[in-house]
Amino acid sequence: MSVPGWARAFLRLFAIQGDWNYERMLGIGMGYAAEPLLDELRTRDPARHTAAVVRSAEFFNCNPNLAGLALGALARAERDGVPGEQVSRLRIALCGPLGAIGDRLFWAGVVPALSALAIAAVALGASVWAVAGFLVAYNALRIGTAWWSLRTGLREGLQVGGAVGRSWLPRAAERVGPVAGFAVGLAVPLAGRWLLAGVKPSAMVLAVFLAAGGVVLSRWGGTHYSAVRYALIVLILLGAGGMVML
Amino acid sequence: MTLVLCRVDDRLIHGQVLVGWGQPLGIQRFVLADDEVAKSGWEQDLYRMAVPQGLEVVFATVASAGAQVRAWDADDRRTAVLLGSVEAAAQLYRAAPSVVRRINLGGIHHRPGRVERLPYVYLSPEEHRLLTELSAEGAEIAGQDLPTATPVPLGSMP
Amino acid sequence: MSPLDPGTLLLLLAWGTFVALDLVSVPQAMYARPLVAGTVAGLLAGDMMTGLQLGVLLELFALDVLPVGAAQYPDHGPATVAAVTAAAGAPWPERMGTAVLLALLLAVLGGWSLQRLRHLNAEALHGRAAALAAGSQPGLRALQWGGLGRDALRGLLLTALGLAGALLLRSSSPVPPRLQGLLAAAAIGCALASAAAGAARSAGRGKRLHWLIAGFGAGLVIAFGLG
């Protein structure tokens, strides 16, 4: 029994960023994932197949969790015999919007929301279960999204944009932002209390002072501030100073 | 004085632009100044769908953006103008140099004939020459993908 | 400190490599988040609590990261594995500060290595330009597997370096006791600043900012008001 092409493409979606590079970004990963979807053209229309494979690996970038929409829609367009120029135009036009909506939904929404909730749960005593819950929740969401994306793309072809616009995606991207904001707000004091539980009051004052100082610097320090740079400088100065004085 | 960003980015609106720039700068209006998109209804639908509710999205040709940019800068909505190419940026800058002032190079991707200047900025010799001219005319040109990244002035690009 | 046996170190090396691959290449399942990378490393090293603590602390740094486009961002996964290796088995907060310092240095190095990888991947592309232009599927496959292989190697080297650093820290004597608490507190303060500043930045000025403030208030009440 052979595995259907869309199922193999679905699995390859999880390595869509496997050859991330500055020239084509997700291009090679997209081409690799498109291979099983374009197979039927190989015998039906070999010239088209070759042209489609070339196009399938060109520049592409969007949020990896939504790449299935473009992958499916472009493969469908190739199989339907849409003129090559139009396929390329769709490919380029999908990059920005799918990136915008996916980054809002996942990188600025679902990920910080779930991560912060997991931190809060650990701080309230949930231990490894919070970590397991984080993994299960995130992966259920993104695997479901990838599945939906590929099926929707394959079904809609050139009409994928309208289908996404009518779907749950824009609304979800809209709603998850405030949730993420609330969750991170909630997690910070809880994590602070949990992590500082064993330290002396004087050290606690230092932590609160540095936390407030970092926030202030990030607001007015411009591009010179980065969280990691700030922490490295603080730790190195404090460590060196402490070793000399203590 | 509400024109807060003029950015050359061949993907126009994407995650970096909305999440990276839009939220921290409190941008209320995105202008997509691109001749191709200005005449393509389905592409406009795509971009509109990706933008949060309550944000204004304006589609304009580069010429009409050049004519309106003073008005955008003068009203009270914080505005970002996104341009798809270096040529479009030059056209906009020359239409209103005192308003545009700064040009951000945010994403110009590889294409045959272009050379890497920054990981996210590839320029052909013609594009580089055009930017150098604009710089001589007074434009402040720098590469910067995110507001938290250090800007790289055109003159310091390899 | 009691030495870690070679089998455990090998497991940690494998875990760090896997975690590095997860960040961008495959399977992007969020194993690379410090909370996950650290907790599992703690379990492997036989000290889950240290894994969880360093996981939460470094996760606060990761909350500041927006992995978009070509932007350079730190790679916290293998760094967290190294930090947990450095501190596992020690009483809190003896090794906390130094472990975080090691993690942050490695995270920066990891971010740099990602950029190098992306250039190397582009060079590999040039080598197969003709195959790509001809629509060769074997060429495409070779590029994809090449990219994955290079990222795995990147993760392996980064983790190996991190573990070497961790073993060096384990074999050296700890900083004076008073400094241990101060360093840990400083690391925690900076981590809290990172998460809060990142959240404020992505909240901008709209509705999301109000929710952030509301969450912060609720967190304060739960953390300090109810006890």
Side-chain angles (χ1 to χ4, degrees):
Chain A
M1 205 187 86
S2 69
V3 181
W6 61 264
R8 285 195 292 146
F10 174 69
L11 289 178
R12 291 182 184 196
L13 273 178
F14 297 100
I16 200 81
Q17 300 194 120
D19 192 42
W20 210 113
N21 62 76
Y22 287 122
E23 283 192 14
R24 298 193 182 207
M25 295 196 171
L26 307 193
I28 300 300
M30 282 284 281
Y32 180 69
E35 191 187 331
L37 296 174
L38 299 175
D39 256 354
E40 65 157 77
L41 282 174
R42 192 194 297 275
T43 44
R44 186 152 63 84
D45 187 348
R48 173 91 201 190
H49 180 257
T50 306
V53 171
V54 172
R55 279 191 288 272
S56 75
E58 276 168 3
F59 175 88
F60 187 77
N61 194 28
C62 80
N63 186 285
N65 292 326
L66 296 187
L69 281 163
L71 184 72
L74 295 167
R76 172 67 188 267
E78 296 284 6
R79 297 200 303 221
D80 287 353
V82 171
E85 252 169 64
Q86 221 172 320
V87 178
S88 295
R89 185 86 199 138
L90 177 67
R91 185 182 179 91
I92 293 304
L94 285 174
C95 288
L98 290 185
I101 215 164
D103 288 355
R104 282 169 62 216
L105 179 60
F106 285 98
W107 297 164
V110 169
V111 170
L114 290 177
S115 152
L117 289 177
I119 290 175
V122 169
L124 294 171
S127 188
V128 277
W129 296 107
V131 182
F134 166 77
L135 278 179
V136 170
Y138 176 75
N139 284 294
L141 271 171
R142 65 111 187 196
I143 292 172
T145 304
W147 177 270
W148 174 85
S149 293
L150 183 60
R151 304 296 303 193
T152 305
L154 280 169
R155 189 180 63 236
E156 302 288 339
L158 286 182
Q159 270 72 50
V160 72
V164 172
R166 288 187 302 276
S167 74
W168 56 280
L169 269 183
R171 257 172 301 133
E174 205 71 48
R175 288 192 189 145
V176 72
V179 177
F182 186 86
V184 178
L186 186 76
V188 166
L190 287 170
R193 201 192 89 143
W194 184 72
L195 285 168
L196 289 167
V199 306
K200 295 201 178 75
S202 58
M204 223 176 270
V205 171
L206 175 72
V208 173
F209 173 78
L210 286 172
V215 173
V216 169
L217 276 178
S218 79
R219 276 316 231 206
W220 289 283
T223 56
H224 299 294
Y225 171 89
S226 91
V228 169
R229 198 177 294 163
Y230 174 64
L232 279 174
I233 291 171
V234 164
L235 288 176
I236 289 170
L237 287 181
L238 183 68
M243 291 303 276
V244 172
M245 290 198 296
L246 293 172
Chain B
M1 301 307 280
T2 52
L3 181 69
V4 289
L5 179 68
C6 274
R7 174 175 167 105
V8 186
D9 191 324
D10 47 26
R11 283 183 288 157
L12 299 173
I13 285 188
H14 55 111
Q16 264 185 12
V17 176
L18 279 183
V19 183
W21 291 88
Q23 309 228 28
L25 297 187
I27 289 168
Q28 295 157 304
R29 178 198 284 136
F30 282 99
V31 178
L32 277 67
D34 187 278
D35 293 351
E36 293 286 320
V37 175
K39 61 183 186 205
S40 164
W42 65 271
E43 282 174 61
Q44 293 180 15
D45 289 343
L46 271 179
Y47 286 110
R48 209 175 276 119
M49 155 196 104
V51 173
Q53 284 165 12
L55 287 190
E56 187 186 345
V57 187
V58 178
F59 298 96
T61 60
V62 182
S64 104
Q68 292 176 79
V69 68
R70 281 173 209 283
W72 289 322
D73 188 52
D75 71 16
D76 61 357
R77 313 210 72 187
R78 296 171 67 82
T79 300
V81 178
L82 304 170
L83 303 137
S85 68
V86 170
E87 291 77 13
Q91 198 184 335
L92 185 82
Y93 177 77
R94 283 169 177 163
S98 63
V99 176
V100 175
R101 298 199 323 273
R102 292 197 189 92
I103 298 171
N104 162 259
L105 306 181
I108 303 170
H109 293 102
H110 176 76
R111 198 190 280 168
R114 278 184 181 160
V115 183
E116 179 178 344
R117 303 283 175 167
L118 296 172
Y120 51 90
V121 176
Y122 288 71
L123 296 172
S124 69
E126 298 77 37
E127 287 165 331
H128 190 260
R129 199 175 314 123
L130 185 52
L131 287 171
T132 313
E133 278 173 37
L134 291 179
S135 177
E137 291 165 30
E140 276 178 51
I141 302 174
Q144 188 182 14
D145 50 356
L146 287 170
T148 48
T150 309
V152 185
L154 181 68
S156 322
M157 283 183 200
Chain C
M1 289 174 91
S2 59
L4 291 166
D5 64 89
T8 304
L9 280 173
L10 220 62
L11 279 176
L12 287 165
L13 184 64
W15 175 240
T17 307
F18 180 61
V19 153
L21 260 176
D22 181 68
L23 179 67
V24 175
S25 291
V26 68
Q28 276 224 322
M30 296 288 149
Y31 301 121
R33 298 299 291 196
L35 188 58
V36 182
T39 305
V40 173
L43 287 168
L44 293 175
D47 182 355
M48 190 198 72
M49 199 55 194
T50 293
L52 211 49
Q53 279 168 336
L54 278 167
V56 166
L57 199 158
L58 293 165
E59 182 73 25
L60 292 167
F61 279 104
L63 275 174
D64 179 52
V65 177
L66 205 57
V68 283
Q72 186 176 349
Y73 41 83
D75 177 2
H76 287 295
T80 306
V81 175
V84 173
T85 308
W92 200 88
E94 189 187 288
R95 306 268 169 171
M96 215 62 175
T98 41
V100 172
L101 186 59
L102 173 69
L104 294 177
L105 289 171
L106 269 176
V108 173
L109 184 67
W112 173 84
S113 73
L114 264 178
Q115 282 215 317
R116 287 302 313 147
L117 171 74
R118 290 166 175 195
H119 278 118
L120 289 176
N121 285 345
E123 276 169 33
L125 211 64
H126 300 160
R128 291 187 189 268
L132 281 177
S136 145
Q137 284 180 327
L140 203 53
R141 258 173 258 154
L143 280 169
Q144 171 78 356
W145 286 101
L148 289 170
R150 277 185 289 275
D151 197 19
L153 188 64
R154 179 191 76 88
L156 184 72
L157 292 174
L158 198 59
T159 311
L161 186 68
L163 292 184
L167 292 180
L168 201 66
L169 282 179
R170 289 179 74 88
S171 67
S172 56
S173 51
V175 296
R178 270 196 64 199
L179 190 55
Q180 292 168 9
L182 286 176
L183 276 178
I188 294 164
C190 293
L192 295 170
S194 170
R201 196 182 312 114
S202 22
R205 305 158 188 228
K207 191 169 63 170
R208 185 165 172 164
L209 183 63
H210 302 147
W211 282 100
L212 173 65
I213 294 166
F216 189 71
L220 281 178
V221 169
I222 299 172
F224 302 101
L226 303 178

